Amino acid sequence: MRLRCAVLDDFQGVATESADWSVIEGQVEVVALHEHLDGEDALATALADYDIVVTLRERVPFPGSLIARLPRLRLLVASGMRNSVIDYAAAEAHGVTVCGTASASTPPVELTWALLLGLARGIVEESGTLRSGGPWQSTVGADLHGRRLGLLGLGKIGGRVAQVGLAFGMRVAAWSQNLTEERAAEVGVELAASKEDLLATADFVSVHLALGDRTRGLVGAAELALMKPTAYLVNTSRAAIVDQDALLAALHEGRIAGAGVDVFDVEPLPADHPMRTAPRLLATPHLGYVSRANYATYYGQAVEDIQAYLTGSPVRRLP
């Protein structure tokens, strides 16, 4: 009897096309689920008959209470090698193996710049008015060359975002709680004196931090109040790093020029979520990791993880 594998959140219907799943078809029946399952009850019901689950990033939490309701579950594959919404102790206690995959840092870097450039030059607004017969030129773009780019975080993604900023001729500064002069010098950027200094002096602020106890709510109302009224904020990292209510208030009150956001407190966004209609906001539905090459890696290595598990030698185990 074949095992059953559910692939979650295959919104674009490409999961089975992004890798060669035929190598396991004799042992595993693969079912791609195209609609998001919202809530533990829906997940427990929908996944009750599956032995393997493939989940994208951290969109679907797997707390111990859910794992306990999935007695057939034996293998959980999550894209990426870090996942904060899986209860690993509960998985181990219930005999569930958890594996990950590689994840490229270049797609979120590229999306960060798509949002930043879109904001700076009013791309969406100008394209919309052009296509609808509206006015010819209605915005005046913000310059990048010579302006100050402030990065909250200078890890792998932040470092690459910095290099692009330098190529545009921007003055780049960075800050995080553990950032050193040596790391800043390695990337060729300035180490900001403080978080407050970075926010107050930057023309563009971009968030590239991991979510944790020290970064949750790191940018709140007080921090947004420090930003220039002509400055833009971009967040392609984690929604909870920026206080969502404070950001909405700043956008509605025009206290910053705009924001580019790819991550939200609830995903997918409900139809009536205020982020869908906020002014001065360029928003995308968590596309940071969504690229052909990254999907080929996610699903290709998911297949490898399943193959290895079936042979009794799991690979890329988490945590």
Side-chain angles (χ1 to χ4, degrees):
M1 182 177 178
R2 290 193 300 171
L3 300 178
R4 302 192 75 216
C5 171
V7 181
L8 302 183
D9 292 331
D10 181 23
F11 299 129
Q12 303 95 333
V14 297
T16 56
E17 302 170 6
S18 298
D20 181 10
W21 296 81
S22 67
V23 296
I24 59 172
E25 66 181 0
Q27 297 171 280
V28 180
E29 175 193 359
V30 178
V31 179
L33 305 180
H34 306 306
E35 300 295 329
H36 181 67
L37 299 170
D38 190 16
E40 184 175 310
D41 289 343
L43 285 159
T45 299
L47 302 179
D49 296 327
Y50 289 95
D51 310 276
I52 302 167
V53 173
V54 177
T55 182
L56 276 177
R57 305 300 293 157
E58 296 170 321
R59 176 167 291 127
V60 177
F62 279 84
S65 54
L66 174 59
I67 292 171
R69 296 172 67 180
L70 300 174
R72 279 188 57 169
L73 183 63
R74 287 295 171 263
L75 175 64
L76 177 60
V77 179
S79 57
M81 290 301 294
R82 179 172 59 192
N83 194 300
S84 63
V85 298
I86 296 173
D87 186 331
Y88 296 107
E92 182 178 7
H94 287 85
V96 178
T97 300
V98 184
C99 298
T101 75
S103 183
S105 60
T106 49
V109 172
E110 293 167 358
L111 185 73
T112 294
W113 280 101
L115 290 172
L116 195 152
L117 287 165
L119 285 168
R121 300 306 296 268
I123 299 297
V124 174
E125 181 179 349
E126 292 287 6
S127 175
T129 55
L130 185 148
R131 292 170 64 88
S132 64
W136 184 262
Q137 298 183 357
S138 59
T139 64
V140 177
D143 295 282
L144 271 59
H145 185 84
R147 298 304 188 269
R148 187 172 176 85
L149 171 63
L151 301 175
L152 290 172
L154 197 64
K156 186 181 296 184
I157 294 174
R160 290 185 172 182
V161 170
Q163 291 170 347
V164 177
L166 293 169
F168 272 116
M170 302 184 79
R171 296 176 292 115
V172 184
W175 177 89
S176 72
Q177 290 161 322
N178 297 322
L179 184 59
T180 64
E181 289 275 7
E182 291 74 19
R183 171 59 180 166
E186 177 187 339
V187 180
V189 307
E190 174 191 340
L191 175 61
S194 64
K195 175 183 66 173
E196 290 75 16
D197 175 72
L198 181 131
L199 291 167
T201 60
D203 299 292
F204 298 88
V205 176
S206 192
V207 180
H208 303 288
L209 294 164
L211 179 61
D213 292 338
R214 294 195 303 171
T215 59
R216 188 179 301 274
L218 187 73
V219 179
E223 288 75 19
L224 290 167
L226 295 172
M227 293 178 63
K228 302 176 183 180
T230 55
Y232 297 88
L233 174 71
V234 175
N235 186 8
T236 57
S237 184
R238 290 292 183 269
I241 295 172
V242 179
D243 184 298
Q244 302 292 281
D245 291 337
L247 177 58
L248 282 166
L251 292 170
H252 279 284
E253 295 167 15
R255 288 188 275 109
I256 60 174
V261 173
D262 186 50
V263 287
F264 306 92
D265 54 357
V266 179
E267 295 184 8
L269 275 182
D272 60 350
H273 196 286
M275 279 287 187
R276 287 187 178 268
T277 55
R280 304 176 181 86
L281 178 67
L282 177 56
T284 48
H286 206 152
L287 298 178
Y289 61 85
V290 180
S291 74
R292 289 187 178 91
N294 226 20
Y295 269 26
T297 298
Y298 287 172
Y299 294 119
Q301 292 192 3
V303 173
E304 294 173 2
D305 289 348
I306 295 169
Q307 284 182 295
Y309 173 80
L310 293 174
T311 65
S313 303
V315 295
R316 292 185 285 267
R317 297 190 67 164
L318 298 178

